[in-house]
Amino acid sequence: MGFTCGIVGLPNVGKSTLFNALTATQAAEAANYPFCTIEPNVGRVAVPDDRLEVLARIAKSAKIIATQLEFVDIAGLVRGASKGEGLGNQFLGHIREVDAVVHVVRCFAGEVTHVEGSVDPLRDADIVETELMLADLESLERRVDAAQKKAKGGDKEAKALLDAAAPALETLRAGKPARQAKVPAELAGAFRQLQLLTSKPVLYVCNVEETAAAAGNEWSARVAAKAKAEGAGHVIISAAIEAEVAALEEAADKAEFLQSLGLAETGLARVIRAGYSLLDLLTFFTVGPKETRAWTVHRGARAPEAAGVIHSDFERGFIRAETIAYDDYVACNGEQGAKDKGLMRSEGKDYLVKDGDVFHFRFNV
């Protein structure tokens, strides 16, 4: 099960530098000119979770495996992208395939050329959002025209599309992103199938100068206010600092460098966790002498679905999930202690997975 965040923004705002640091590679060429990232670069990164170390220590696990997120560095977008300007068609096609949008906005001055000629993160964010809304509106109107003809002939799928498209069209025509549309619960599935660019959840990443990495600056404060008003997330980072940290090999050196800047952790850790939260994901664990491992499911997943993340046979032949809450596992110093205190539960097919559950699945195929 893959979960993908697309890194988007105007050219030269720090997207590729952020991506390089996220993946600790130079896979994406960071250069001082637009469109240096022509094909989307993909990297998988571990989701930081202190609970893994604790569980592994208790169980004396031989290794630790974190759950992962996928990040895609997408070519910079410019005005007119919805009409094919710059690399607009590639940009829009690639962003349609991701689950969430990490929108990098430039909140620093400097010598790096800005495609719009000045630094204004709110303007930059509006440019990208407007292009995405225009692309959504154009594609949706075409689909609605075709569906209306089919619906007259009694096509049920076309009727369902029209019902789901109606609130989206109303919202887009009002100049608002599709994620703000008021969609009835019964149409939520059909609405998701529209795959609208502006229906995806958004995280704003404010790329600031090194001196503002801890507290932000005036520009990032404006972005934070915008994110709050929209119900979106926001994170402050300095892509330059993250690149320096990524180049250090020793954990102690990284910690010392961050401490010298007044930072408790990397901005990347916050970006990854925020992206994870943005996708409304939960983490569950499997623990044993061979490995302690984190796994990912969407909030609202039931026990058999969680079992299926590990192996399809586990879901197909699901019997029960022997379950211990993380806090109980730690407090009882492991599985046996939890059993002795009656804190291991036997959960069935209708059990809703909770963040931090430690599972042992019983199945038969």
Side-chain angles (χ1 to χ4, degrees):
M1 184 184 296
F3 301 100
T4 306
C5 295
I7 303 175
V8 307
L10 296 180
N12 296 341
V13 297
K15 297 189 293 30
S16 293
T17 303
L18 173 64
F19 176 84
N20 289 341
L22 273 167
T23 57
T25 70
Q26 293 300 312
E29 178 191 2
N32 184 22
Y33 57 92
F35 316 132
C36 64
T37 310
I38 296 175
E39 293 300 323
N41 292 273
V42 182
R44 294 187 66 81
V45 298
V47 177
D49 195 325
D50 294 338
R51 295 175 295 184
L52 278 167
E53 294 279 355
V54 177
L55 292 170
R57 186 168 59 250
I58 293 172
K60 297 180 174 58
S61 303
K63 63 179 178 179
I64 293 173
I65 303 176
T67 191
Q68 295 186 320
L69 274 185
E70 191 169 86
F71 283 85
V72 183
D73 180 25
I74 299 173
L77 174 146
V78 294
R79 290 183 190 272
S82 59
K83 302 298 181 184
E85 290 295 323
L87 295 172
N89 292 333
Q90 292 98 315
F91 180 101
L92 298 172
H94 294 143
I95 195 174
R96 203 175 295 281
E97 297 171 4
V98 304
D99 301 306
V101 174
V102 174
H103 189 161
V104 182
V105 288
R106 179 170 166 175
C107 297
F108 66 93
E111 296 179 0
V112 178
T113 304
H114 192 292
V115 71
E116 287 289 319
S118 63
V119 177
D120 185 342
L122 297 188
R123 175 204 59 205
D124 295 354
D126 286 343
I127 289 172
V128 173
E129 189 85 284
T130 297
E131 294 301 329
L132 299 184
M133 287 191 293
L134 289 170
D136 273 347
L137 187 58
E138 183 180 353
S139 67
L140 195 56
E141 286 178 338
R142 285 200 308 266
R143 293 172 70 182
V144 165
D145 285 343
Q148 285 175 336
K149 296 173 185 177
K150 292 181 180 179
K152 289 178 181 178
D155 189 309
K156 292 183 179 179
E157 288 187 9
K159 178 65 167 61
L161 185 149
L162 290 174
D163 290 341
L169 276 176
E170 181 182 354
T171 302
L172 289 166
R173 286 169 176 164
K176 299 176 183 178
R179 60 182 167 274
Q180 293 186 18
K182 296 179 180 178
V183 182
E186 64 272 17
L187 294 176
F191 181 78
R192 283 193 297 271
Q193 290 177 2
L194 295 175
Q195 290 188 304
L196 298 173
L197 300 170
T198 61
S199 68
K200 302 175 187 296
V202 172
L203 170 69
Y204 291 104
V205 173
C206 304
N207 186 13
V208 301
E209 68 275 17
E210 293 188 22
T211 55
N217 57 25
E218 182 182 350
W219 285 316
S220 66
R222 294 175 188 170
V223 177
K226 174 182 174 64
K228 183 177 181 180
E230 295 176 358
H234 87 283
V235 174
I236 296 169
I237 69 155
S238 167
I241 289 176
E242 303 305 324
E244 290 184 58
V245 173
L248 298 173
E249 294 184 2
E250 299 296 329
D253 292 338
K254 294 183 180 184
E256 183 179 349
F257 178 65
L258 289 170
Q259 188 175 11
S260 72
L261 297 168
L263 300 173
E265 62 177 352
T266 65
L268 299 182
R270 296 195 300 275
V271 170
I272 295 166
R273 278 200 295 268
Y276 198 75
S277 175
L278 193 68
L279 291 167
D280 205 17
L281 304 177
L282 297 177
T283 300
F284 69 90
F285 302 100
T286 53
V287 181
K290 289 185 179 180
E291 68 179 34
T292 289
R293 183 163 184 166
W295 305 84
T296 299
V297 289
H298 278 293
R299 189 178 303 277
R302 299 186 185 277
E305 185 179 342
V309 172
I310 299 174
H311 197 288
S312 58
D313 284 350
F314 286 23
E315 181 173 13
R316 185 159 53 91
F318 179 88
I319 298 173
R320 66 182 182 275
E322 294 176 351
T323 310
I324 306 170
Y326 169 80
D327 288 342
D328 291 338
Y329 190 100
V330 174
C332 298
N333 199 37
E335 181 178 314
Q336 189 58 52
K339 280 183 179 178
D340 293 344
K341 292 191 176 182
L343 294 173
M344 175 183 275
R345 312 184 309 274
S346 180
E347 303 289 0
K349 293 183 177 181
D350 292 331
Y351 176 71
L352 290 173
V353 179
K354 295 180 177 61
D355 190 69
D357 278 341
V358 179
F359 283 134
H360 182 76
F361 294 108
R362 300 293 184 183
F363 69 102
N364 183 34
V365 290

